[in-house]
Amino acid sequence: MSYNVGIVGATGAVGQELIELLHARKFPIKQLTLLASARSAGKLIHFQDKSWTVVEATPAAFDDLDIAIFSAGGTLSKNLAPEAVRRNCVVIDNSSAFRMDPDVPLVVPEINAEALDVHQGIIANPNCSTAITLMGLYPLHQEFGLKRFWASTYQAVSGAGAAGMHELETQIRDWVNAKPMKVEAFPHPIAFNLLPHVDVFFDDGYTREEMKMVNESRKILTLPQLQATCTCVRVPVLRAHSMSINAEFTKPVDVNRARAAIAAFAGAEIVDDPAQLQYPMPKDYAGKVNCGVGRIRKDLALDNGLALWIVGDQLWKGAALNAIQIGEALIERGKVAS
Amino acid sequence: MSYNVGIVGATGAVGQELIELLHARKFPIKQLTLLASARSAGKLIHFQDKSWTVVEATPAAFDDLDIAIFSAGGTLSKNLAPEAVRRNCVVIDNSSAFRMDPDVPLVVPEINAEALDVHQGIIANPNCSTAITLMGLYPLHQEFGLKRFWASTYQAVSGAGAAGMHELETQIRDWVNAKPMKVEAFPHPIAFNLLPHVDVFFDDGYTREEMKMVNESRKILTLPQLQATCTCVRVPVLRAHSMSINAEFTKPVDVNRARAAIAAFAGAEIVDDPAQLQYPMPKDYAGKVNCGVGRIRKDLALDNGLALWIVGDQLWKGAALNAIQIGEALIERGKVAS
């Protein structure tokens, strides 16, 4: 069995990783079609010994596709995902357009693959910080019962796409060459700086990115009462996100059991040997399938609390990899027609 | 009235800021003496139209000094501060050597200047992250009563001194020139990376830096039962520290009252206008007297909680400025002989 697969947003940073990962993971592709907005249609994309001409993402473009992975922003997803579904194409959507729709499963396959079984054509891929955070928090939830958590993020510029990565690199080069920094992709310079601001602000002072962590965690973990507060910060790192987490549980916690639970969880790994100065760092997590968890210790201000540090590739587990894993799980569970 | 002032560790990053700030703030200096370890003695230091030859910090070097600011590491402080006190020289110590000594006041002048009145010759200057954090937390404590807090830090490389700043700059230049990065001042590369590791590790997994935040906050705020958990992270920023804080209070909180309390507190300023994309950022806090506080909002996982973001100059409020402010307060309170 193999499938006609489409990537919508093929020219973006996540699109590029999707092409690479579909090949690296030997996704059962009959034919790969690269789609994008009219602006990018006609572009030629090369990968290994192949090349594709990007076609415009129109409703008719989905006629012959079995699976389409959307990573081209919420507006395009909102307009075209229903058209694709109407044409019997299953949509895995990397935008936030459908994540909180009660009829749309929001899936991290290692956590809630069973939610795929009731899909109605669209499956949502979670926010990058949320997916990476839950790779550390979910095994702890299974072990101790998650009650509430606080997250402070250290988010790479890849979260703003290829333009974000280009902006950090360009500002760094300009600094070295004593030229003024240009500011385009972010509202302020990011080189040698931090922006406590990711996505738009709501009236209560939170950003949409911060509320995604709260709302998407509740949905993925099926914990509608879960309490969480998140502070999202952009840092001058290229493509791995890091999270400092304080979490409270319903049962007594134990650091060694916490490490064992995370180590046994597919997709997560423990890097937690302070004596050898080993802990997860973003430089080691670009292009890595697993998320790294370390600095695990008893929280000093909570009765049943743990403090920990989680790192994962924003473009992979935070986007392209998780989307493809959703596709793999759909096939495995017989939830996509070929 | 003017004083014979000595700086021990004059050749370091904090030492340089001390020279600049003593002049900028018109500290009443009769004569300024620059001291350092034997290794740096003999060096010539220039500032504006003056120059000094650095003299070796020996016990006898304190004979004619009224005030000495130590910023040359804990070992030198432990050995020489008592010698200075024996010679009637008041010591303001920037190391961690005496901070938790019950006979030594640990002072942020805007918070607990009255602790200076019982000094016995040595006054300790707090850890950088702690001093900056409390510039935001203390006015909230006065308003709402601090019960416990969680801090995730984003610490600049200046915390590792001139060598730390040099290392980030050198690694960035090497990256632009496609040369391999040298790693000397930190255990791993810091350019484009994060190290969830500042100072040494204890057996329970916490670092000494993280426990300074807990223990020094208790002492400065006179809250021996205060609970706190801190995760300290080194980021590729040159000299301002940032802190993401979640804090629980005994009384109901209000965001507008929180802003007003911080705005009214000397040494802190509110930068909190999300609609105009205004929040404190490290790029704006190098060489700034005030600490900036923003992103103030109700914590979603605490009954009486606030989330906030605090930024301050590591070399100034986190070190040199606070030390000089201690000296100014000592003089104002008549607690130093000339």
Side-chain angles (χ1 to χ4, degrees):
Chain A
M1 295 268 272
S2 62
Y3 303 84
N4 288 327
V5 176
I7 298 176
V8 183
T11 56
V14 174
Q16 296 291 307
E17 300 298 323
L18 284 167
I19 297 169
E20 186 184 322
L21 281 169
L22 284 169
H23 281 80
R25 295 175 70 87
K26 302 188 198 312
F27 197 90
I29 294 178
K30 195 184 298 167
Q31 192 182 325
L32 181 63
T33 305
L34 302 188
L35 307 99
S37 61
R39 194 166 44 86
S40 296
K43 272 193 188 171
L44 209 62
I45 290 192
H46 305 275
F47 178 73
Q48 292 181 352
D49 55 348
K50 293 178 191 171
S51 61
W52 294 261
T53 303
V54 175
V55 301
E56 187 183 346
T58 60
F62 297 93
D63 277 340
D64 297 326
L65 295 183
D66 304 311
I67 302 170
I69 305 179
F70 277 63
S71 189
T75 307
L76 203 78
S77 291
K78 262 183 204 150
N79 292 339
L80 280 179
E83 297 290 346
V85 171
R86 211 164 286 143
R87 289 162 174 82
N88 291 315
C89 172
V90 175
V91 170
I92 302 165
D93 182 31
N94 193 42
S95 85
S96 62
F98 301 102
R99 287 183 192 146
M100 298 314 296
D101 186 327
D103 293 331
V104 172
L106 177 65
V107 175
V108 177
E110 297 91 338
I111 298 176
N112 63 337
E114 71 285 353
L116 295 170
D117 296 346
V118 295
H119 83 76
Q120 298 174 32
I122 301 174
I123 297 101
N125 202 34
N127 165 260
C128 48
S129 299
T130 308
I132 294 165
T133 297
L134 295 185
M135 292 305 289
L137 268 188
Y138 175 69
L140 299 178
H141 167 55
Q142 287 186 294
E143 193 74 11
F144 307 119
L146 184 61
K147 189 171 158 192
R148 54 180 172 170
F149 72 94
W150 295 264
S152 294
T153 73
Y154 302 65
Q155 296 185 227
V157 292
S158 60
M165 298 171 80
H166 177 75
E167 180 133 318
L168 173 57
E169 295 189 359
T170 304
Q171 288 180 350
I172 288 287
R173 287 181 203 281
D174 285 346
W175 181 85
V176 166
N177 295 312
K179 294 201 289 186
M181 289 183 192
K182 271 183 233 128
V183 174
E184 290 168 358
F186 301 107
H188 306 280
I190 183 63
F192 301 105
N193 196 26
L194 308 168
L195 277 65
H197 169 203
V198 179
D199 210 331
V200 300
F201 283 99
F202 293 124
D203 286 345
D204 64 1
Y206 282 91
T207 61
R208 187 156 65 188
E209 184 83 354
E210 289 163 352
M211 296 316 297
K212 287 174 190 168
M213 179 79 84
V214 180
N215 295 321
E216 297 184 21
S217 295
R218 288 176 176 170
K219 180 164 176 175
I220 296 165
L221 300 177
T222 331
L223 288 175
Q225 307 301 321
L226 179 67
Q227 290 184 299
T229 292
C230 184
T231 300
C232 288
V233 181
R234 187 76 70 194
V235 301
V237 163
L238 283 167
R239 64 176 267 185
H241 280 5
S242 305
M243 263 60 78
S244 169
I245 305 285
N246 302 90
E248 188 177 45
F249 300 89
T250 56
K251 298 177 209 156
V253 295
D254 174 89
V255 168
N256 287 328
R257 278 174 58 205
R259 287 201 189 105
I262 291 165
F265 182 59
E269 63 184 24
I270 289 287
V271 182
D272 197 9
D273 187 353
Q276 300 300 318
L277 308 184
Q278 296 301 306
Y279 27 73
M281 292 181 287
K283 80 172 180 63
D284 299 327
Y285 281 84
K288 195 158 183 175
V289 167
N290 284 346
C291 294
V293 186
R295 298 299 325 275
I296 303 174
R297 55 220 195 275
K298 282 210 176 186
D299 188 287
L300 304 173
L302 294 167
D303 284 338
N304 299 320
L306 290 169
L308 57 151
W309 173 255
I310 308 172
V311 181
D313 187 345
Q314 188 272 328
L315 292 177
W316 280 22
K317 192 59 186 174
L321 173 65
N322 196 72
I324 291 172
Q325 289 172 321
I326 288 173
E328 293 166 349
L330 282 169
I331 292 170
E332 194 184 306
R333 303 175 85 88
K335 294 296 170 188
V336 56
S338 69
Chain B
M1 294 266 276
S2 62
Y3 304 84
N4 288 327
V5 176
I7 298 176
V8 184
T11 58
V14 174
Q16 296 291 307
E17 300 298 323
L18 284 167
I19 297 168
E20 187 183 323
L21 281 170
L22 284 169
H23 281 80
R25 295 174 70 87
K26 303 188 196 311
F27 197 91
I29 294 178
K30 195 184 298 167
Q31 193 181 327
L32 179 65
T33 305
L34 302 189
L35 307 99
S37 60
R39 195 167 42 85
S40 295
K43 272 193 188 169
L44 209 61
I45 290 192
H46 305 275
F47 179 73
Q48 290 180 351
D49 56 345
K50 292 178 190 172
S51 60
W52 294 263
T53 303
V54 175
V55 300
E56 186 183 346
T58 60
F62 297 92
D63 277 340
D64 297 325
L65 295 184
D66 303 310
I67 302 170
I69 305 179
F70 277 62
S71 189
T75 307
L76 203 80
S77 290
K78 263 183 203 150
N79 291 339
L80 280 179
E83 296 290 346
V85 172
R86 211 163 287 142
R87 288 163 174 82
N88 291 316
C89 172
V90 175
V91 170
I92 302 165
D93 183 30
N94 194 42
S95 85
S96 62
F98 301 101
R99 288 183 193 147
M100 299 313 297
D101 185 327
D103 293 332
V104 172
L106 177 65
V107 175
V108 176
E110 296 91 338
I111 299 175
N112 64 337
E114 69 286 353
L116 294 170
D117 296 345
V118 294
H119 84 77
Q120 298 174 32
I122 301 175
I123 296 101
N125 202 35
N127 166 260
C128 47
S129 299
T130 308
I132 293 165
T133 297
L134 295 186
M135 293 304 289
L137 268 187
Y138 175 70
L140 298 179
H141 166 56
Q142 287 186 295
E143 192 75 8
F144 306 118
L146 184 61
K147 189 172 157 190
R148 53 181 173 170
F149 72 94
W150 295 265
S152 294
T153 74
Y154 302 66
Q155 296 185 227
V157 294
S158 60
M165 298 172 79
H166 178 73
E167 181 132 317
L168 173 58
E169 294 190 358
T170 304
Q171 288 180 350
I172 287 288
R173 287 181 202 282
D174 285 346
W175 180 86
V176 167
N177 295 310
K179 295 200 290 186
M181 288 184 192
K182 272 183 231 129
V183 174
E184 290 169 357
F186 301 108
H188 306 279
I190 183 64
F192 300 105
N193 196 28
L194 307 167
L195 277 65
H197 168 202
V198 179
D199 209 330
V200 300
F201 282 101
F202 294 125
D203 286 345
D204 63 1
Y206 282 91
T207 61
R208 185 155 65 188
E209 186 82 354
E210 288 162 353
M211 296 315 298
K212 287 173 191 169
M213 179 78 84
V214 181
N215 294 322
E216 296 183 20
S217 295
R218 288 176 176 171
K219 181 166 175 174
I220 295 166
L221 300 178
T222 329
L223 289 175
Q225 308 300 322
L226 179 67
Q227 289 184 300
T229 292
C230 183
T231 300
C232 288
V233 181
R234 187 76 71 195
V235 300
V237 163
L238 283 167
R239 64 175 269 187
H241 281 5
S242 304
M243 263 60 77
S244 169
I245 305 285
N246 302 89
E248 190 178 44
F249 300 89
T250 55
K251 295 178 211 156
V253 295
D254 175 89
V255 167
N256 288 328
R257 278 175 58 205
R259 288 202 188 105
I262 290 166
F265 183 58
E269 63 186 23
I270 289 288
V271 183
D272 196 8
D273 187 353
Q276 300 300 317
L277 309 185
Q278 296 300 306
Y279 27 73
M281 291 182 286
K283 80 172 181 63
D284 299 326
Y285 281 84
K288 194 154 183 178
V289 166
N290 283 348
C291 294
V293 186
R295 297 300 324 275
I296 303 173
R297 55 222 195 273
K298 280 210 177 186
D299 188 286
L300 304 174
L302 294 166
D303 285 339
N304 299 320
L306 290 169
L308 58 151
W309 173 255
I310 308 171
V311 180
D313 187 346
Q314 187 273 328
L315 292 176
W316 279 22
K317 192 59 189 176
L321 173 65
N322 197 71
I324 291 172
Q325 289 172 320
I326 289 173
E328 293 166 348
L330 282 168
I331 292 169
E332 195 184 307
R333 303 173 84 89
K335 293 296 170 183
V336 56
S338 68

